Amino acid sequence: MYVPVPEPGASSDELHERRLARERAARKSAERLLEQKSLALFEALRASELSQRRLELALWASGESIWEWDADTDEVRITRYVAVEAAPKVDEVLLIDALDQIFPDDIEAVVLAWRLHVSGSTAEFDVQFRRNDGQSWVRSRGKVSERDAAGLARRMVGTSKDITRQRQQDESLRLLGHAFANSRDALVLCDSAWRVLESNQAFHTLSALPHGLSSRTDLAALLPALPMALNREPAGAVHLWVPDCRLHRPGHDVPVDVSATPLPGTEQRGVQWIVSIKDLRESKRLESQLATASRYDALTGLLNRAATQHALRAQIDAAGQRPLPMLWVNLDGFKVINDGLGATEADAVFARCSSRVAAVLPEGWTIGRWGGDELLLFGRPGEDAQSGLAVGRAALAAIAAPHLQGEAGISMTASIGLAVHPEDGETTESLVQNAGTALRHAKNSGRARLEAYHPQLDDHGLQRLTMLSLLRKACEVDAFRFVAQPRVDARQCVVGHEVLVRWHSAELGPVSPAVFIPLAEDNGLIDRVGRSAIRAAARLAARLGHLGRRERVSVNLAAKQLQDPLLADVLLSELFAVGVRPADLELEVTETGLVQDIDGARRVLEYLSSEGFTLALDDFGTGYSSLSYLQTLPFHKIKLDRTFVRDVSKDPRAARLVEGVVDLCKALDLHVVAEGVETIEQFERLCTLGVPEFQGFLFHRPIDFDAIVDISRNL
C-alpha cells in the first residue's frame, strides 16, 4: 500500500493542494486524450460514411447491385441503388428463388459456374445470363469471402449489372464490323491527311494493294479527285460526293464513284473520314451493253429499226436534192421456216442472209434490220437508181445461194422494193412507204424479184382488192379452166399428165397462177380452188380410162388442204363420182406444205397411200429440202425442180448433184421426174444421169383436156 511521505517543511494544506492540482492535470490530460480519440473516431466514421457514399454513388452510376450469399440461411441479400438521394433497396431471397428469375435455357450454365467457384475450381464467379423474359441480359460477378475450417464456402459477395444495352451495342458493332469487312464496295477509314487507318478486303482488291501495304497508304495519291473536291467545298462540309473519277492502280486506272463522310474529332485525334469507293467497271460495261442494245439488233449485230431510221433521216438531210437509193428487203416464205424448223433455226437462217447481204454492199452503204424478216439498205448521197438496182440484184443473188441448215438444204429467196430520194420521197416516211409499195408489188408478182417504185404502183393496192373480190366470185361459180401438161419417158412417150389451173377474168383478162394462187392461199380460198382441181383431174383420168389408157393424172395439193380433215373424203368422193381408182391419181405435195405441220402431214399422207394414191414430192430442192422427208414420209416419187435442170448440161457440179439425187432415190425405191426440161441438151444429159421421166416445154406445153385426149387416142 502506498503511503505518501510528507515533504520536509510543507504543511498538510499545501500538500493537499498540490495533490489536487496533480489530479486536475491528470484529468485534463485524460479529457484531452479522450477528445482526441473521439475526434479521430469521428473523422474515421466520416471517412467511412464518405467512402460508403462514394461506393453507393459509383454503384448507382454503373447500374450495378451488390449481392451477398449466406450459406447458413442459403439466402441472397441484394442491395440495389435506384436513385442518387434515395436509400438503397434491399431484397432477401432464397438462392433457389433467385434462380427462378433466370431464363430456363441459361440456368444450367449459371449453376455450373456457381458450383465451380464455391468448390474452389475457379478464382471468381463470372457469368452472363438472360432474365426470365428472355430479352434482358445480366452479368453477375462474385467471390467467396469466407470459408470454414473444412474449406467450405460460408459467404460470397458480388455485383450484378444489366448489360442488355451493352450487348446490343456490341452486336451492332459486330454487325457494322462485318458489314465494313464484307461490303462489296471498298471502304476506308482515313485520318485528316487522307492516310488509310483501316480498310476492307474490297479496297485491297480494287486498289491491287496487299494488306500489308494498305495501312498508312496515302489515299489522296490513289484518288486525287478526293482532296480536290474537299477544297471546293465550304468549311464544315458534312459529305463529299465525287462521281465518276479515276482510282490509280498498277497497270491502269479504274472508274469509281467516291463518297466521304467526316467523323468529328476529339482531343486525342483529329477529324477522320469514312470513304466509300464504288467500282464502276461493271456498270460501265452494262451501260455499254445497253447503249449497244438500244442501237443494234441482238441477232444480227446490224442497226436496229430505230437506229436505222435515225441514220436514214440523217442521210436524207445530208443528200439535200441529190439522189439517194433505198432498198427494202423481205425474205420470202420466212414464216414457213419459222413454223417448220423452229425459231432458233429460223433465226440462224435470217442471220446468215443478213451477213450475206452486208458482205455484198458497196463501201458507204448502210444496212439495218427493219423487222422480223426484213432489212433496209441505203446508199450514199449522189448514187442513183441504177446503183440501187445493182445492189438489189447482188442482194438477191447472195440470199438465193444454197443454205445448209442441219439436215435441210434450204434455198431462200427475197423480194425487194427500191425507192430513190427525192424523186420517190423527200422524207424518211414517204421514201419508206413507197419502197414498201414496190416491195408488195414484187411479192404479188411472184416473189424472188426486185421492183423499183413508180407512181402507177400506188394503184396496185386497189387492184389487189378488186382481184380478191373477183376471185371470190370465181370460186363461188367455179369459173376456173384447167389444162394439163404431159409427162414423157426416155423414149418421149407420154406416161402421165399434170393438171394446172387457169383463170380468165372478164374484168381483168387472164391472171397468172403465180398471182392468184398466193392470193387464194392468203385469203382462205385455196380449198375451193383445190377442190375444183381435184374434180378436174378425176374427170381427165376418167376420159383417159375410157380410152383404155392408164396415164396417171397428177394434181397439186396446197398446204391448207393437207390440214383439212375431210381431204381424203373429198378425194374419194370425186373419184367415185366418175368411176376412177385412187391408183389413177397422183397427188403432188410441195415441201412448204410439209414444213408447216410435219406430223399432221405424215398421218394424212400415210392414210392416202394406204388408199392407193401415188404420192409425189414436188419442187424438190427449192425450199426446205430434207433427206428425212424421203426416209420418213411415204412418197413414191420426187419431182426435181427446174433449178436442178437448168444448168445440168453446162455445169459439172449441177450434173453431179442430179446424179447423186438419182442414185439416192434408186436406193430408196423412189421414182424421179425432171421438171422444166426445155432443151435437147438438158434431156440427153438427164438421160445419161439415169433420170427416167421428164416434163417441160421441150415435149409439150400445157394444153386443154380435149387436146390431151386426142394425143392419147392417137398413141
Side-chain angles (χ1 to χ4, degrees):
M1 175 178 179
Y2 169 73
V3 178
V5 180
E7 296 181 10
S11 65
S12 59
D13 290 335
E14 290 176 347
L15 293 173
H16 181 70
E17 284 297 327
R18 291 176 182 173
R19 185 169 59 249
L20 288 176
R22 286 194 297 271
E23 288 177 356
R24 283 196 296 272
R27 187 166 54 250
K28 286 181 179 181
S29 177
E31 288 175 354
R32 284 195 299 271
L33 180 61
L34 179 60
E35 183 179 354
Q36 291 174 356
K37 294 292 184 183
S38 296
L39 182 60
L41 180 61
F42 175 73
E43 291 295 334
L45 181 60
R46 282 188 59 191
S48 175
E49 290 176 350
L50 183 58
S51 297
Q52 177 68 24
R53 183 57 179 160
R54 287 174 177 171
L55 175 61
E56 290 177 356
L57 287 173
L59 291 171
W60 169 80
S62 67
E64 291 186 295
S65 301
I66 296 177
W67 54 266
E68 300 176 71
W69 170 70
D70 188 341
D72 293 334
T73 61
D74 201 26
E75 287 185 341
V76 179
R77 187 173 187 270
I78 305 172
T79 304
R80 298 182 177 88
Y81 300 90
V82 295
V84 176
E85 301 297 335
K89 182 179 179 181
V90 179
D91 292 320
E92 294 183 353
V93 295
L94 292 174
L95 182 60
I96 189 68
D97 294 333
L99 292 176
D100 288 341
Q101 299 177 20
I102 299 174
F103 190 65
D105 291 351
D106 297 343
I107 290 176
E108 184 177 350
V110 173
V111 171
L112 177 61
W114 180 278
R115 289 176 176 173
L116 288 173
H117 181 61
V118 298
S119 67
S121 300
T122 57
E124 64 177 349
F125 169 73
D126 190 348
V127 68
Q128 296 182 11
F129 57 87
R130 287 167 289 180
R131 291 194 177 98
N132 53 14
D133 61 5
Q135 301 297 321
S136 55
W137 283 82
V138 174
R139 182 184 183 186
S140 185
R141 303 178 63 193
K143 196 167 187 178
V144 172
S145 59
E146 181 183 340
R147 294 182 183 274
D148 59 17
L152 298 178
R154 307 307 305 165
R155 189 176 301 279
M156 187 188 302
V157 179
T159 60
S160 294
K161 181 179 181 180
D162 188 308
I163 59 170
T164 304
R165 180 173 296 179
Q166 177 184 336
R167 286 184 66 95
Q168 291 173 343
Q169 292 173 345
D170 290 345
E171 178 65 11
S172 296
L173 288 175
R174 186 189 69 81
L175 293 175
L176 286 174
H178 180 79
F180 182 91
N182 295 281
S183 172
R184 295 181 63 182
D185 290 341
L187 296 177
V188 181
L189 176 64
C190 296
D191 62 17
S192 57
W194 302 108
R195 289 187 295 268
V196 175
L197 303 176
E198 295 287 346
S199 56
N200 64 357
Q201 179 60 45
F203 174 73
H204 304 306
T205 303
L206 181 61
S207 65
L209 292 174
H211 284 275
L213 296 180
S214 62
S215 179
R216 313 305 293 180
T217 295
D218 184 3
L219 188 63
L222 299 180
L223 284 168
L226 188 57
M228 294 172 60
L230 180 61
N231 294 334
R232 292 193 298 267
E233 293 291 331
V238 297
H239 186 74
L240 290 180
W241 168 246
V242 189
D244 202 2
C245 60
R246 312 299 293 183
L247 171 72
H248 298 326
R249 57 171 285 171
H252 64 279
D253 291 351
V254 177
V256 294
D257 282 344
V258 180
S259 63
T261 303
L263 302 177
T266 65
E267 293 181 1
Q268 290 75 27
R269 61 171 176 81
V271 174
Q272 294 181 342
W273 292 86
I274 288 287
V275 182
S276 174
I277 309 170
K278 183 177 181 61
D279 187 350
L280 297 181
R281 285 176 295 183
E282 180 64 15
S283 62
K284 293 281 187 182
R285 186 184 66 82
L286 292 176
E287 286 177 8
S288 177
Q289 287 182 345
L290 289 174
T292 299
S294 67
R295 182 171 172 78
Y296 295 97
D297 176 59
L299 174 64
T300 63
L302 303 176
L303 294 175
N304 60 22
R305 184 184 180 104
T308 303
Q309 190 170 17
H310 180 78
L312 176 60
R313 183 175 291 112
Q315 200 76 313
I316 289 175
D317 291 342
Q321 291 302 307
R322 290 179 295 169
L324 174 71
M326 193 206 75
L327 298 164
W328 187 340
V329 182
N330 178 266
L331 298 185
D332 297 328
F334 190 73
K335 182 179 183 302
V336 176
I337 294 180
N338 193 74
D339 293 343
L341 300 181
T344 301
E345 296 292 333
D347 284 348
V349 171
F350 182 79
R352 187 182 301 112
C353 289
S354 300
S355 64
R356 288 182 177 183
V357 173
V360 301
L361 290 182
E363 182 180 357
W365 274 69
T366 301
I367 177 173
R369 187 174 186 181
W370 195 245
D373 57 355
E374 296 174 333
L375 301 169
L376 209 67
L377 322 174
F378 52 90
R380 296 166 296 183
E383 296 187 84
D384 58 13
Q386 292 303 316
S387 175
L389 290 171
V391 171
R393 285 190 288 267
L396 288 176
I399 293 172
H403 297 252
L404 182 61
Q405 193 73 16
E407 291 185 352
I410 301 175
S411 296
M412 292 298 301
T413 61
S415 299
I416 302 179
L418 167 65
V420 181
H421 164 85
E423 180 180 352
D424 300 331
E426 295 188 351
T427 66
T428 303
E429 292 73 17
S430 60
L431 193 64
V432 170
Q433 178 180 353
N434 290 334
T437 299
L439 171 63
R440 287 189 293 274
H441 184 68
K443 288 280 188 184
N444 297 332
S445 299
R447 306 183 180 186
R449 58 191 297 154
L450 168 64
E451 289 285 347
Y453 173 79
H454 52 84
Q456 291 79 5
L457 293 181
D458 290 330
D459 298 330
H460 182 71
L462 180 61
Q463 293 174 2
R464 183 175 172 84
L465 289 175
T466 301
M467 182 181 294
L468 177 59
S469 176
L470 295 173
L471 182 60
R472 291 185 188 279
K473 293 179 180 178
C475 290
E476 292 172 0
V477 299
D478 197 7
F480 302 106
R481 183 175 69 89
F482 291 92
V483 295
Q485 185 176 28
R487 298 191 302 272
V488 301
D489 59 17
R491 298 172 299 165
Q492 301 191 32
C493 296
V494 175
V495 294
H497 310 273
E498 180 180 0
V499 170
L500 303 170
V501 63
R502 296 291 184 264
W503 178 35
H504 188 284
S505 168
E507 295 84 357
L508 303 177
V511 183
S512 169
V515 175
F516 75 81
I517 292 296
L519 188 64
E521 289 177 336
D522 292 342
N523 292 276
L525 301 176
I526 196 63
D527 284 341
R528 297 184 183 181
V529 178
R531 182 154 189 168
S532 296
I534 292 171
R535 184 179 302 115
R539 291 174 179 173
L540 177 58
R543 292 179 66 180
L544 294 173
H546 294 155
L547 297 176
R549 305 289 300 176
R550 291 300 177 187
E551 298 166 5
R552 188 175 290 121
V553 178
S554 63
V555 64
N556 287 280
L557 296 181
K560 288 286 183 65
Q561 289 177 276
L562 288 178
Q563 299 170 14
D564 183 0
L566 300 178
L567 174 62
D569 293 338
V570 169
L571 286 164
L572 294 173
S573 64
E574 294 293 349
L575 294 180
F576 179 77
V578 294
V580 174
R581 304 171 307 162
D584 296 328
L585 205 62
E586 182 176 296
L587 307 178
E588 297 187 7
V589 179
T590 62
E591 295 176 77
T592 55
L594 301 174
V595 171
Q596 291 187 10
D597 182 9
I598 185 65
D599 292 330
R602 179 186 296 109
R603 290 190 294 270
V604 172
L605 294 177
E606 287 176 348
Y607 179 75
L608 294 176
S609 179
S610 68
E611 289 292 327
F613 291 98
T614 298
L615 304 178
L617 180 58
D618 194 16
D619 298 337
F620 182 79
T622 59
Y624 321 98
S625 306
S626 174
L627 298 180
S628 63
Y629 295 160
L630 305 182
Q631 179 182 0
T632 60
L633 297 177
F635 288 113
H636 303 95
K637 65 168 60 175
I638 68 166
K639 300 186 73 175
L640 286 176
D641 187 71
R642 64 185 67 248
T643 56
F644 278 85
V645 173
R646 183 178 53 219
D647 299 325
V648 70
S649 61
K650 298 179 293 184
D651 187 348
R653 292 179 301 176
R656 286 196 296 270
L657 182 59
V658 171
E659 185 178 21
V661 172
V662 171
D663 291 342
L664 176 63
C665 290
K666 286 180 179 178
L668 296 175
D669 197 23
L670 293 173
H671 194 70
V672 178
V673 180
E675 293 184 296
V677 181
E678 298 180 352
T679 68
I680 190 65
E681 291 81 10
Q682 292 171 344
F683 172 63
E684 291 175 347
R685 187 70 177 106
L686 290 168
C687 286
T688 62
L689 293 175
V691 177
E693 191 172 327
F694 311 87
Q695 181 178 340
F697 287 176
L698 176 63
F699 314 107
H700 297 280
R701 290 181 176 272
I703 52 180
D704 59 36
F705 286 0
D706 290 339
I708 291 289
V709 172
D710 289 342
I711 291 174
S712 297
R713 182 181 292 116
N714 295 327
L715 291 177

